[in-house]
């Protein structure tokens, strides 16, 4: 009997945690993928795709971070559609979903996994 | 037999003698007073003038009173005064004297103080040959004196050193409201003004101020504070306070155990009491001590509620606290503020101007738990639910029941609907807040709120931030909102904070509030690149600077276009290029053009009288001056302006938020114009004014707009919605109908004084520069998604794939 190897997550270091301003995003380039990372007021971290599906521009990391009914969000700086940071769902158009990625802090470094 | 000798015959002395007598004191009581009459009610002094009322206290049987007798010395060792009059217990009740600032001319005929019946008789005599009077000092007594002058038929002015009236009782917000009330009575108020000199040879002819010129007046009343009369005590070697007052203990004893002091001359626990109630308590304590008791004076509540010039003013408890809650209605002239402990549970004190109704209840809660949420106690116009038959609109005779019924029957959702159905609120408008409240009570969301995080309008938030001195978004949302904000409220708050404090928009927490444009100090374009607009004031530029712009555009490969506002826009810069581009522009002397901000954009100009055959004024110089004055001014929306050198109007000034057209005599100022989506010609606000008047008027117009406009409301829509329209605006900025012009002027002065170029400050700050990268983990890498083609020899963004909609 052969055993399948367990799929292994790959974590990619992005920047020191202290480089992330609270409630402001930053963009990381990970294996050709643009990932927007955010640190919210309570210290939580989120990673979503940087591409705004409505304009096609890679800009979500530059949106305003806030909350909608308690859910952490970012608003596209192009035409202001609001996305959930936890699920990637566009709260103004729930049919549109953008990717989200696991994110963690290891020894002060923010790490994101895209695969 | 104990001989009690009292010096001074004011209310305190009188109360002491009276208490001794009624309690059956067996010794002798003698009073020596310098005034030519017996004791009288000083608190009611003004009624001597206005109603000719008899203020004399009844004589006290058994007490020997000497009038017109001044005590000039005390000999403590011999226990005598004036060298001959003996005592066993001496009580100093010498009160206080008005402080007269040492200005030249203060002794001229026509100069007075306001303390005694004789003072008032003298004022009345002077007023007979006068038409105008000035009161120096805008405190409680100053206002009372001013009202008396007005009652004597004089055109009355008040000059007050502090920036607002009654600085001891109310804070700045309350002072502004008070000022408006006072001015509505026809008095002229000069706050923030000192006195240079009293003019006149023998008789006063006027009063010279440092910066408001001469105020013509034939009567001057000094009411610039009081000083305890401690001169006798000093002469006798008794201990006095550093800033005056005879030091006493809880038993009213001075440093000589045989000498007591009571009333306004006494300094107890570092405090002088300028109100009559504590003076009375001191007199009673002294009486008890003289009779062998052990009563103690332990301080007094300085709460006051009074009606001055028809305005209710109340102050109770502390005048500061960890937190405070403010309600301001500048239109109705009501200002209320509560100070509470840092956990918002305990009431510490408060201030009411214009409506002291909550005073009675709230005062009794000082030091204890709040009976309701602070905002309910002050913010809502009615603290308790109105009964159904209560009249809501008295102009049109509409009750609360009428309103509720109409809401139900017609499914009304807003005040406009209620007005249309019931006529309530259509006449004087003062019941509109009540209508809103009834709508809310009926389960209708009246939502003037900005967004889900704030129930306030932008103008309300502005007032809260200003009055409370809030400097961070976190503080504002923690105390007045919910959640963590959004793309609607955050930029609004950022703009308010910038208008009020003018700090760098990328400083600290401010950075997280900004729209991407403000965050990168550039304008986001459709492919994620940014455009750059250096400021070119008035559209005037030297060839050297023009060449620098050309070189920068060429070296960075930017698409270049002349804008409608007479400047040059450079497109297609990536985030990481912005600092390098701006370094070159700043080195060449350029500044941020704020094309990215809700702020002043440009002041366009025509070439004006310098070159043009028709020009009547120098429109270019004015445009440059205005652009430099208002650059960086954050506002509810962008601001545009233009100056034309004559009526031919080549600069298209009337399509601007504020446009200026030169006339033979000066300048015409037009406001509220707009191009864009809903074009509107600007309205003429003032005509033929000189340059300083023009600038002052624009200052006020802009600051008033910034204070009161809604989010993203251009001046055109704002002006159309302003109650009373253009005429009201003119009253506010020209005639100071709201009493806020000094504030507006000060705010603009602060803006001008603290302006700094955002781009230069950013380049000087490595922390702010750090965010100008496409990728945090690869700072040198450009964004691969940004690509261009060419068109007419310049770059053009490639079309991006978008989700089909
Ligand atoms: C116009 C006005 C309005 C006021 N309104 C209010 C109010 O609404 N509410 C309130 O609480 N308070 C008010 N006050 C304050 C109140 O009048 C005083 O707190 C009170 O009069 C203090 O009493 P007193 O006896 O300590 O001093 P005073 O009233 O000043 O009496 C001291 C007396 O001593 C005499 N004297 C001084 N030195 C000598 C000397 N060496 N020899 C002989 N005689 C001497 C003085 O001539 C004077 O008659 C008002 C005061 C004024 C002037
Ligand atoms: S507005 Fe008058 S001054 Fe200005 S350019 Fe036109 S004609 Fe000349």
């Amino acid at each position: 009997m052969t055993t399948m190897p367990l799929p292994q997550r790959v974590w990619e270091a992005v920047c020191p945690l202290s480089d992330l301003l609270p409630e402001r995003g930053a963009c990381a380039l990970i294996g050709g993928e643009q990932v927007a990372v955010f640190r919210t007021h309570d210290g939580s971290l989120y990673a979503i795709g940087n591409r705004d599906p409505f304009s096609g521009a890679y800009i979500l990391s530059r949106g305003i971070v806030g909350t909608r009914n308690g859910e952490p969000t970012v608003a596209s700086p192009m035409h202001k559609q609001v996305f959930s940071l936890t699920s990637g769902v566009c709260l103004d158009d729930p049919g549109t979903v953008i990717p989200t990625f696991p994110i963690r802090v290891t020894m002060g470094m923010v790490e994101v996994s895209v695969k | 037999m104990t001989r009690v000798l009292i010096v001074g015959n004011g209310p305190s002395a009188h109360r002491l003698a009276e208490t001794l007598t009624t309690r059956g004191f067996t010794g002798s009581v003698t009073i020596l007073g310098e005034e030519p009459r017996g004791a009288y009610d000083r608190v009611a002094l003004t009624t001597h003038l206005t109603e000719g009322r008899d203020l004399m206290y009844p004589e006290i049987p058994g007490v020997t009173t000497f009038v017109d007798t001044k005590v000039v010395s005390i000999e403590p060792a011999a226990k005598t005064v004036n060298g001959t009059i003996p005592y066993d217990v001496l009580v100093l009740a010498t009160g206080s004297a008005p402080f007269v600032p040492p200005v030249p001319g203060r002794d001229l005929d026509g100069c007075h103080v306001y303390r005694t019946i004789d003072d008032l008789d003298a004022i009345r005599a002077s007023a007979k040959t006068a038409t105008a009077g000035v009161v120096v000092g805008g405190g409680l007594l100053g206002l009372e004196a001013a009202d008396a002058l007005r009652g004597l038929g004089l055109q009355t002015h008040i000059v007050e050193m502090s920036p607002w009236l009654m600085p001891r009782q109310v804070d700045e917000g309350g002072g502004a409201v008070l000022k408006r009330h006072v001015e509505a009575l026809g008095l002229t108020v000069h706050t923030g003004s000192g006195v240079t000199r009293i003019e006149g040879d023998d008789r006063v002819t006027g009063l010279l101020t440092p910066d408001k010129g001469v105020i013509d007046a034939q009567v001057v009343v000094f009411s610039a504070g009081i000083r305890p009369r401690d001169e006798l005590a000093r002469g006798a070697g008794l201990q006095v306070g550093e800033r005056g007052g005879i030091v006493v203990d809880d038993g009213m004893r001075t440093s000589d155990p045989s000498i007591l002091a009571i009333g306004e001359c006494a300094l107890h626990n570092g405090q002088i009491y300028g109100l009559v109630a504590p003076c009375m308590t001191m007199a009673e304590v002294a009486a008890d001590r003289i009779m062998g008791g052990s009563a103690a004076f332990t301080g007094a509540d300085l709460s006051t509620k009074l009606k001055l010039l028809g305005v209710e003013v109340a102050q109770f408890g502390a005048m500061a606290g960890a937190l405070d809650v403010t309600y301001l209605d500048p239109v109705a002239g009501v200002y209320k503020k509560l100070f509470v402990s840092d956990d918002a549970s305990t009431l510490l004190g408060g201030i009411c101007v214009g409506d002291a109704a909550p005073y009675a209840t709230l005062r009794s809660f000082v030091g204890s738990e709040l009976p309701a949420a602070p905002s309910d106690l002050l913010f809502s116009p009615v603290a308790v639910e109105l009964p159904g038959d209560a009249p809501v609109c008295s102009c049109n005779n509409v009750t609360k029941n009428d309103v509720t019924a109409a809401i139900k029957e017609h499914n009304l959702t807003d005040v406009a609907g209620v007005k249309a159905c019931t006529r309530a609120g259509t006449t004087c408008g003062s019941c509109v807040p009540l209508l809103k409240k009834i709508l809310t009570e009926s389960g209708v969301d009246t939502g003037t709120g900005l967004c889900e995080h704030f129930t306030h309008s932008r103008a309300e938030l502005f007032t809260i931030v200003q009055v409370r001195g809030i400097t961070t978004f976190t503080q504002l949302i923690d105390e007045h909102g919910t959640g963590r904000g959004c793309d609607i409220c955050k930029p609004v708050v950022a703009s308010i904070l910038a208008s009020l404090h003018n700090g760098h928009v990328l400083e600290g927490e401010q950075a997280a509030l900004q729209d991407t444009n403000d965050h990168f100090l550039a304008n986001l374009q459709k492919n994620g690149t940014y455009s750059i607009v250096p400021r070119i004031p008035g559209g005037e530029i030297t060839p050297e600077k023009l060449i620098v712009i050309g070189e920068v555009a060429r070296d960075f490969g930017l698409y270049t276009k002349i804008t409608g506002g007479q400047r040059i826009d450079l497109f297609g810069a990536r985030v990481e290029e912005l600092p390098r581009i701006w370094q070159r522009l700043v080195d060449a002397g350029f500044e941020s053009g704020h094309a990215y901000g809700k702020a002043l954009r440009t002041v366009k100009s025509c070439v004006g009288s310098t070159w043009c055959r028709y020009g009547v004024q120098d429109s270019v110089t004015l445009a440059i001056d205005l652009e430099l004055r208002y650059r960086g001014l954050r506002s509810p929306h962008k601001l545009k302006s233009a100056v034309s050198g004559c009526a031919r109007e080549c600069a298209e000034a009337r399509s601007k938020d504020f446009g200026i057209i030169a006339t033979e005599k000066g300048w015409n100022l037009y406001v509220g114009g707009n191009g864009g989506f809903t074009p509107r010609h600007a309205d003429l606000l003032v005509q033929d004014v000189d340059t300083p008047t023009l600038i002052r008027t624009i200052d006020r117009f802009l600051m008033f707009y910034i204070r009161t406009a809604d989010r993203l409301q251009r001046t055109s829509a704002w002006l159309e919605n302003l109650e009373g329209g253009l005429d009201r605006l003119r009253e506010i900025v020209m005639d100071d109908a709201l009493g806020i012009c000094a504030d507006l002027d000060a705010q603009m002065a602060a803006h001008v004084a603290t302006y700094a170029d955002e781009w230069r400050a950013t380049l000087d700050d490595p922390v702010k520069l750090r965010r100008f990268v496409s990728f945090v983990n690869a700072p040198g890498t450009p964004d691969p998604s940004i690509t261009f083609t060419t068109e007419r020899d310049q770059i053009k963004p490639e079309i991006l794939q978008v989700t089909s909609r």
Side-chain angles (χ1 to χ4, degrees):
Chain A
M1 195 175 83
T2 49
T3 45
M4 292 281 286
L6 277 174
Q8 193 73 55
R9 275 213 167 281
V10 181
W11 290 96
E12 197 79 48
V14 167
C15 64
L17 178 62
S18 54
D19 276 8
L20 289 185
L21 292 178
E23 302 199 309
R24 204 78 237 194
C27 184
L29 190 60
I30 304 174
E33 184 99 41
Q34 292 200 22
V35 178
V37 296
F38 299 94
R39 173 180 176 180
T40 54
H41 185 66
D42 63 3
S44 309
L45 295 174
Y46 301 92
I48 61 172
N50 192 35
R51 181 172 175 276
D52 168 24
F54 298 102
S55 65
Y58 287 75
I59 45 157
L60 290 183
S61 64
R62 301 181 214 154
I64 289 182
V65 176
T67 58
R68 187 177 283 188
N69 296 320
E71 188 167 356
T73 56
V74 64
S76 163
M78 195 67 75
H79 296 302
K80 314 292 178 204
Q81 293 89 351
V82 171
F83 298 88
S84 161
L85 290 178
T86 49
S87 65
V89 171
C90 175
L91 300 177
D92 296 321
D93 181 20
T96 304
V97 183
I98 56 170
T100 60
F101 305 98
I103 185 167
R104 69 179 190 188
V105 178
T106 307
M107 315 221 338
M109 282 301 280
V110 177
E111 296 180 336
V112 173
S113 168
V114 295
K115 54 179 189 285
Chain B
M1 189 179 79
T2 313
R3 291 164 299 180
V4 174
L5 185 62
I6 306 174
V7 184
N9 196 8
S12 308
H14 184 80
R15 174 60 65 90
L16 170 61
E18 193 184 41
T19 311
L20 285 173
T21 310
T22 49
R23 288 186 53 178
F25 180 62
T26 51
S28 73
V29 180
T30 307
I31 302 178
L32 308 176
E34 71 179 0
E35 289 192 61
R37 53 179 65 77
Y40 57 91
D41 183 4
R42 200 175 306 288
V43 172
L45 191 61
T46 299
T47 59
H48 171 70
L49 270 193
T50 51
E51 304 164 30
R53 206 190 283 176
D54 176 13
L55 302 176
M56 301 309 295
Y57 288 133
E59 275 187 30
I60 308 165
V63 172
T64 316
T65 303
F66 294 89
V67 300
D68 235 336
T69 307
K70 180 166 181 170
V71 174
V72 292
S73 66
I74 306 172
E75 301 75 41
K79 290 199 176 182
T80 54
V81 304
N82 286 359
T84 50
I85 308 167
Y87 65 83
D88 296 302
V89 177
L90 178 67
V91 184
L92 301 175
T94 46
S96 41
F99 169 68
V100 179
V103 291
R106 63 183 186 158
D107 295 318
L108 287 174
D109 194 14
C111 285
H112 301 276
V113 294
Y114 201 86
R115 182 83 199 172
T116 65
I117 288 181
D118 283 358
D119 292 337
L120 268 58
D121 287 341
I123 290 172
R124 180 171 21 215
S126 289
K128 289 208 172 99
T129 53
T131 54
V134 188
V135 175
V136 178
L140 195 151
L141 293 182
L143 293 188
E144 194 165 323
D147 200 20
L149 292 192
R150 185 179 69 112
L152 291 170
L154 301 189
Q155 176 61 46
T156 305
H157 298 256
I158 303 170
V159 175
E160 163 59 53
M161 188 78 105
S162 300
W164 63 88
L165 293 174
M166 284 181 71
R168 290 169 63 105
Q169 284 79 19
V170 304
D171 61 3
E172 184 170 9
V177 170
L178 188 61
K179 180 175 177 205
R180 201 156 75 73
H181 278 291
V182 172
E183 287 175 337
L185 293 173
L187 283 77
T188 314
V189 179
H190 313 263
T191 46
S193 177
V195 177
T196 308
R197 172 172 79 233
I198 310 297
E199 309 265 33
D201 293 327
D202 304 314
R203 175 74 190 260
V204 173
T205 57
L207 177 147
L208 178 67
T209 61
D211 48 29
K212 304 200 170 144
V214 175
I215 302 168
D216 288 332
Q218 303 78 36
V219 175
V220 172
V221 176
F222 288 102
S223 181
I226 53 173
R227 295 288 179 271
R229 293 192 60 176
D230 55 12
E231 63 273 25
L232 272 179
R234 280 174 199 272
L238 300 181
Q239 195 188 338
V240 292
E242 216 169 280
R243 268 172 286 133
I246 308 166
V247 175
V248 295
D249 63 11
D250 287 356
M252 310 322 302
R253 244 187 331 232
T254 68
S255 52
D256 177 331
S258 305
I259 306 179
L260 311 186
I262 59 171
E264 277 191 2
C265 64
L267 180 71
H268 176 263
N269 226 339
Q271 171 99 39
I272 297 266
Y273 291 89
L275 293 173
V276 76
C279 296
M280 297 295 108
T281 311
M282 290 187 209
E284 284 159 13
V285 169
D288 185 72
R289 290 292 180 119
I290 291 168
M291 295 181 67
S294 58
F297 179 78
T298 51
D301 182 6
L302 287 178
S303 299
T304 26
K305 176 180 173 217
L306 37 122
K307 201 165 183 171
L308 276 173
L309 298 133
V311 191
E312 285 190 327
V313 178
Q315 188 262 316
F316 52 96
M319 271 255 280
L323 300 176
D324 51 63
V325 182
T326 306
Y327 172 79
L328 170 67
D329 181 346
V331 182
V334 175
Y335 176 88
K336 301 179 205 175
K337 186 171 204 165
L338 287 187
F339 299 101
V340 297
S341 59
D342 56 2
D343 58 354
S345 68
T346 310
L347 179 62
L348 302 176
I351 296 165
C352 303
V353 176
D355 170 14
Y359 172 78
T361 341
L362 288 179
R363 186 185 166 186
S364 51
F365 280 99
V366 170
S368 50
E369 207 164 295
L370 284 165
S375 53
D376 289 344
L377 294 170
L378 287 191
F379 269 91
S380 65
V382 268
V384 286
E385 193 156 317
L386 284 175
D389 54 2
V392 170
C393 170
S394 28
C395 301
N396 296 296
N397 203 8
V398 184
T399 65
K400 181 180 168 192
N401 279 340
D402 299 336
V403 176
T404 352
I407 293 172
K408 282 218 187 74
E409 197 174 323
H410 304 284
N411 278 322
L412 302 179
T413 54
D414 55 11
V415 172
V418 175
K419 280 185 176 177
C421 281
T422 63
R423 299 197 60 231
T426 53
T427 309
C428 78
S430 62
C431 62
V432 167
L434 267 182
L435 300 181
K436 266 196 201 140
K437 189 176 153 66
I438 298 171
L439 275 163
T440 319
E441 277 175 15
S442 314
V444 178
D445 178 11
T446 48
T448 52
L450 262 190
C451 60
E452 70 170 70
H453 306 102
F454 289 100
T455 56
H456 315 81
S457 68
R458 181 190 172 279
E460 287 167 340
L461 283 181
F462 191 100
T463 306
I464 291 173
V465 170
Q466 182 185 28
V467 176
R468 304 240 4 240
I470 288 177
T471 54
T472 65
F473 177 78
T474 298
Q475 188 191 351
L476 183 66
I477 197 158
D478 283 354
E479 292 167 13
H480 299 274
T482 52
R484 278 305 300 176
C486 63
D487 58 304
I488 294 177
C489 59
K490 279 185 164 177
V492 166
V493 174
S495 154
I496 293 172
L497 292 173
S499 297
L500 282 172
H501 307 302
N502 218 5
H504 196 285
V505 294
L506 300 185
E507 204 61 67
E509 201 197 55
Q510 281 265 77
L513 306 178
Q514 310 292 349
D515 242 322
T516 188
N517 285 355
D518 271 308
H519 195 58
F520 292 106
L521 307 172
N523 290 46
L524 179 68
Q525 302 299 334
K526 62 189 291 181
N527 64 343
T529 61
Y530 287 85
S531 77
I532 293 161
V533 186
R535 185 167 298 291
I536 301 178
E540 182 187 86
I541 187 163
T542 61
E544 284 71 26
K545 281 188 152 180
L546 202 52
I547 289 168
V548 170
I549 292 184
E551 286 173 345
V552 168
R554 182 193 58 210
D555 296 351
F556 287 88
L558 304 174
Y559 171 77
T560 306
K561 188 168 189 318
I562 311 278
T563 72
Q566 302 185 335
R567 39 195 200 172
I568 300 172
D569 207 342
L570 311 174
F571 290 80
R574 292 188 310 270
V575 165
E576 68 271 15
E577 292 177 319
L578 292 172
R580 282 183 284 136
I581 292 172
W582 269 105
Q583 189 66 60
R584 286 186 48 185
L585 292 171
V586 166
D587 288 346
F590 285 103
E591 291 186 345
S592 165
H594 294 99
Y596 47 82
K598 303 282 179 261
L600 177 82
R601 296 288 168 83
T602 78
V603 183
K604 267 174 81 166
S605 67
C606 75
V607 77
S609 61
T610 317
W611 291 91
C612 178
R613 292 181 287 144
Y614 303 107
V616 292
Q617 305 279 353
D618 183 356
S619 48
V620 177
T621 300
L622 180 69
I624 293 174
D625 288 349
L626 293 177
E627 185 158 341
L628 295 181
R629 183 170 181 81
Y630 304 123
R631 63 188 160 176
L633 181 67
R634 290 301 203 271
S635 52
H637 210 310
K638 61 186 168 193
L639 288 168
K640 296 184 173 184
S641 176
V643 185
S644 282
C646 81
R648 287 171 186 76
E649 241 285 68
C650 295
E652 296 163 327
R654 289 196 67 196
S655 64
K656 304 299 180 191
D657 293 282
F658 57 105
I660 297 100
I661 301 177
T663 68
E664 300 279 352
K665 297 185 202 130
W667 307 101
N668 284 356
L669 171 62
Y670 297 82
V671 296
N674 201 357
F677 196 65
T678 31
R680 182 180 189 276
H681 255 132
D683 297 317
L684 179 62
L685 184 65
V686 290
Q687 210 166 351
D688 292 328
V689 291
D690 59 12
T691 309
T693 311
L694 174 78
I695 290 178
R696 197 190 62 208
T697 310
I698 302 174
D699 282 359
R700 293 175 179 177
F701 163 74
L702 290 177
M703 273 303 170
F704 185 55
Y705 162 68
I706 289 172
R707 272 195 186 191
T708 56
D710 269 340
R711 175 183 99 91
L712 299 185
Q713 190 178 37
R714 287 290 294 270
T715 56
S716 53
W718 170 77
L719 186 56
E720 291 198 340
N721 284 311
L722 184 72
E723 231 164 277
L726 188 70
D727 290 339
R728 183 64 182 157
L729 178 64
R730 198 176 290 120
E731 284 169 19
I732 293 168
V733 299
M734 300 303 293
D735 312 331
D736 201 7
L738 292 180
I740 55 174
C741 283
D743 260 22
L744 301 178
D745 293 346
Q747 259 170 26
M748 189 59 86
H751 164 76
V752 173
T754 56
Y755 165 83
D757 176 32
E758 284 165 3
W759 259 111
R760 176 183 291 274
T762 304
L763 293 172
D764 288 345
D765 184 344
V767 177
K768 293 194 184 91
L769 280 179
R770 282 239 293 277
R771 74 198 53 168
F772 289 88
V773 293
S774 286
F775 304 111
V776 263
N777 61 341
T781 313
D783 180 346
S785 75
I786 295 173
T787 50
F788 300 99
T789 56
T790 35
E791 184 176 69
R792 292 183 295 274
D793 301 329
Q794 297 209 70
I795 58 161
K796 169 185 169 184
E798 293 244 52
I799 294 171
L800 298 172
Q801 285 285 302
V802 299
T803 311
S804 59
R805 310 241 59 237

